[in-house]
Amino acid sequence: QVQLEESGGGSAQAGGSLRLSCVARGSDIRGICMGWFREVAGKEREGIAVHYDDESTYVTDSAKGRFTIYRNKLNHTAYLQMNDLKVEDSGTYYCVAGIRGCYSAFERPHSIGRLAGYWGQGIQVIVSS
C-alpha cells in the first residue's frame, strides 16, 4: 500500500510559478512511475507530466518548456515545477504513483483506465489573469 501526500498548490498570477510536491509513503515504492494528472470540471483527467522509473520523463505538449518534473528517489518525492503559468493551467492536480500502465495512461489519449496504482487526494491550482 502506498499513500501520497501532495503539497504546494494554491493561487498564482498568469506568468508566475508554483511547485507541486508529492511524497510517497509505503512498504514498497520501487519500480513505480510518479506523475501528475489535471482535472477540470466536465473533462477527463489529463496526464500532465510523469517521471518514469528509468529516469526518463514526459510532459504534455501544452506544458512543454514551462513545466518540469523531477524526482528524488531517496526520499520518494516527485516535484512538478510550473513556470510561466497560464489561466488554462488551473485545475485540480492529482499525484499518481503508477505500478503498471504509466506510459499508456500519460502518453496515449483516453487511456487513463490502463493505469494501476495509487492516487493522491488532489490539490487545487488557480491561475488568474
Side-chain angles (χ1 to χ4, degrees):
Q1 191 74 10
V2 175
Q3 292 82 42
L4 301 175
E5 181 177 330
E6 301 142 323
S7 61
S11 299
Q13 293 280 329
S17 298
L18 287 171
R19 189 180 77 161
L20 306 183
S21 300
C22 177
V23 180
R25 296 189 175 90
S27 58
D28 187 2
I29 43 182
R30 297 169 296 173
I32 59 172
C33 75
M34 290 187 73
W36 299 88
F37 279 81
R38 179 174 67 216
E39 184 174 85
V40 177
K43 293 187 177 180
E44 183 183 22
R45 287 185 187 183
E46 174 189 10
I48 300 301
V50 60
H51 184 287
Y52 295 109
D53 191 52
D54 66 0
E55 305 294 333
S56 63
T57 62
Y58 165 82
V59 177
T60 193
D61 286 346
S62 64
K64 277 180 182 170
R66 302 186 298 118
F67 291 10
T68 303
I69 186 168
Y70 56 103
R71 181 173 163 188
N72 184 330
K73 286 186 174 180
L74 293 178
N75 63 15
H76 309 300
T77 303
Y79 304 91
L80 182 66
Q81 178 66 46
M82 304 187 292
N83 297 330
D84 190 22
L85 284 163
K86 301 179 179 181
V87 173
E88 52 264 39
D89 294 324
S90 300
T92 302
Y93 284 71
Y94 292 89
C95 178
V96 162
I99 302 169
R100 292 185 306 276
C102 293
Y103 173 79
S104 294
F106 278 95
E107 302 195 41
R108 294 183 181 273
H110 312 302
S111 296
I112 190 173
R114 293 175 179 264
L115 182 67
Y118 303 91
W119 292 81
Q121 292 194 338
I123 194 166
Q124 286 284 326
V125 170
I126 301 171
V127 183
S128 56
S129 58

